[in-house]
């Protein structure tokens, strides 16, 4: 085994690396190549060099999309991680078990299922659900409550320019929190209970347990979650395409790069669509590398 280690490892790597290269890396190469052409899908490709990139960099919708990604990139990870950490802490450390041992709140197993439920819902289902929640009349869930409470007129969550993007971000947070509650719960389950019990014996409050024990020992998991949520922030296409008014409206207030890719493909401008795809890929990779570098810190052993 010692003498044949390299061939043995390579034998196992050949199939997955080949499949990954063909189904993941090769489409990226094809997209980058297509971004230098003008192609309408049914005509011959015409080489245009950097013309597609120049047109993208002079398009107002491109900068609108970047601005929206920046807002989502700040709000989505912060809100999702904050809520998920809070709920995961309650489900794992927030209560008391038998004999005074650290445990989650009563019914934590049921709450985990409830929190994870949005993850199993298809995006169209979520879209229909929140279209009803945000409906700008008395039949909408939120407006119905507010109007009965004395509000003069309904709020157009999805049709008012200043409210549309925050409303969509709220849906993204609602959908994502459950998964990260489970992820952080798994991380907290790996922290020895003796650490929590020793801290409580020393008089640590629940707040101290969270900030001085849980947060440092869960840092690697939080870092991973931040990268995943950043990538989600650069996507957001599915929710926007289902819920947003007038294809990224009103007046482009909710457009994202993924939607611009779709719009260009709808108009048979595949070269432009590929250009937006390359920009989206580069931004996602830069964000992931920057986040991993910025949040790097010494790991705690326990």
């Amino acid at each position: 085994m010692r003498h044949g280690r390299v061939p043995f490892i390579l034998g196992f790597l050949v199939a997955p690396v080949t499949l990954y290269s063909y189904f993941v890396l090769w489409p990226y190469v094809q997209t980058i190549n297509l971004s230098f052409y003008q192609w309408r899908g049914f005509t011959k490709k015409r080489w245009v060099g950097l013309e597609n990139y120049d047109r993208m960099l002079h398009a107002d919708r491109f900068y609108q999309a970047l601005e929206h990604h920046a807002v989502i990139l700040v709000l989505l990870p912060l809100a999702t991680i904050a809520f998920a950490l809070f709920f995961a802490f309650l489900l794992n450390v927030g209560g008391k078990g038998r004999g005074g041992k650290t445990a989650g709140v009563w019914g934590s197993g049921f709450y985990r299922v409830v929190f994870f439920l949005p993850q199993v819902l298809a995006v169209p289902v979520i879209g229909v659900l929140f279209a009803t929640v945000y409906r700008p009349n008395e039949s909408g869930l939120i407006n119905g409550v507010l109007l009965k409470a004395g509000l003069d007129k309904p709020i157009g969550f999805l049709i008012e320019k200043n409210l549309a993007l925050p409303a969509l971000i709220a849906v993204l947070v609602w959908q994502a929190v459950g998964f990260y509650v489970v992820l952080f719960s798994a991380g907290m389950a790996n922290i020895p209970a003796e650490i929590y019990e020793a801290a409580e014996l020393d008089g640590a409050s629940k707040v101290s347990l969270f900030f001085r024990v849980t947060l440092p020992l869960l840092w690697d998991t939080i870092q991973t979650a931040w990268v995943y949520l950043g990538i989600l922030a650069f996507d957001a296409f599915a929710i926007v395409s289902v819920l947003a008014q007038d294809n990224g409206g009103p007046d482009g207030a909710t457009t994202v790069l993924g939607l611009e890719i779709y719009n260009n493909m709808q108009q048979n401008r595949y070269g432009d669509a590929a250009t937006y795809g390359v920009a989206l890929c580069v931004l996602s990779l830069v964000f992931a590398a920057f986040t991993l570098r910025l949040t790097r810190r010494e790991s705690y052993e326990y």
Side-chain angles (χ1 to χ4, degrees), residues 8-58:
F8 179 78
I9 294 174
L10 290 177
F12 275 96
L13 287 177
V14 166
V17 169
T18 300
L19 290 173
Y20 183 82
S21 299
Y22 184 77
F23 289 108
V24 178
L25 298 182
W26 179 239
Y28 278 111
V29 174
Q30 289 178 306
T31 301
I32 294 171
N33 177 65
L34 182 59
S35 69
F36 297 107
Y37 287 86
Q38 187 181 80
W39 185 45
R40 299 187 63 82
F42 49 83
T43 59
K44 186 177 180 180
K45 292 181 183 177
R46 182 171 68 88
W47 173 267
V48 293
L50 297 176
E51 183 179 315
N52 291 333
Y53 289 93
D54 180 69
R55 184 162 49 251
M56 179 185 71
L57 293 174
H58 287 86

Side-chain angles (χ1 to χ4, degrees), residues 11-244:
F12 275 96
L13 287 177
V14 166
V17 169
T18 300
L19 290 173
Y20 183 82
S21 299
Y22 184 77
F23 289 108
V24 178
L25 298 182
W26 179 239
Y28 278 111
V29 174
Q30 289 178 306
T31 301
I32 294 171
N33 177 65
L34 182 59
S35 69
F36 297 107
Y37 287 86
Q38 187 181 80
W39 185 45
R40 299 187 63 82
F42 49 83
T43 59
K44 186 177 180 180
K45 292 181 183 177
R46 182 171 68 88
W47 173 267
V48 293
L50 297 176
E51 183 179 315
N52 291 333
Y53 289 93
D54 180 69
R55 184 162 49 251
M56 179 185 71
L57 293 174
H58 287 86
D60 292 337
R61 296 274 290 195
F62 174 68
Y63 293 102
Q64 275 185 312
L66 287 184
E67 182 181 346
H68 300 154
H69 281 300
V71 174
I72 299 172
L73 195 58
V74 173
L75 297 181
L76 176 61
L78 282 176
T80 303
I81 291 175
F83 281 121
L85 279 173
F86 174 73
F87 291 134
F89 186 78
L90 289 180
L91 296 180
N92 290 271
V93 190
K96 281 288 186 181
R98 293 180 179 178
K101 293 185 177 180
T102 301
V105 297
W106 183 85
S108 57
F110 171 74
Y111 294 135
R112 284 190 180 93
V113 175
V114 173
F115 283 130
F116 194 74
L117 182 61
Q119 286 293 311
V120 302
L121 298 178
V123 172
V125 175
I126 295 174
V128 172
L129 174 64
F130 276 91
T132 303
V133 171
Y134 287 144
R135 191 172 295 164
N137 52 44
E138 64 278 358
S139 64
L141 180 61
I142 297 178
N143 278 308
V145 173
L146 293 177
L147 288 172
K148 287 184 178 180
L151 188 70
D152 293 334
K153 61 179 182 178
I155 301 172
F157 291 100
L158 297 177
I159 60 177
E160 292 186 17
K161 191 172 181 179
N162 295 330
L163 296 177
L165 186 61
L168 293 180
I169 294 174
V171 178
L172 290 171
V173 172
W174 178 86
Q175 183 187 24
V177 161
F179 174 81
Y180 292 96
V181 167
V182 174
L183 179 66
F184 294 148
S185 294
M188 291 179 191
N190 290 326
I191 300 175
E194 293 81 4
I195 296 178
Y196 287 115
E197 292 168 7
E200 287 185 325
L201 286 174
D202 288 338
S205 64
K206 293 296 183 183
V207 175
S208 297
L209 284 178
F210 178 78
F211 285 103
R212 295 181 179 273
V213 178
T214 303
L215 207 57
L217 295 181
L218 209 62
W219 187 256
D220 289 343
T221 307
I222 295 173
Q223 182 189 53
T224 302
W226 199 284
V227 173
Y228 285 167
L229 286 165
I231 294 173
L232 176 61
F234 278 114
D235 182 12
F237 164 73
I239 289 295
V240 172
S241 62
V242 172
L243 276 177

Side-chain angles (χ1 to χ4, degrees), residues 248-260:
D251 194 22
T254 57
T255 189
V256 291
L257 289 177
L259 190 62
E260 292 306 307

Side-chain angles (χ1 to χ4, degrees), residues 274-290:
T275 305
Y276 278 88
V278 172
L280 183 59
C281 177
V282 170
L283 288 171
S284 300
L285 291 175
V286 169
F287 166 78
F290 178 75

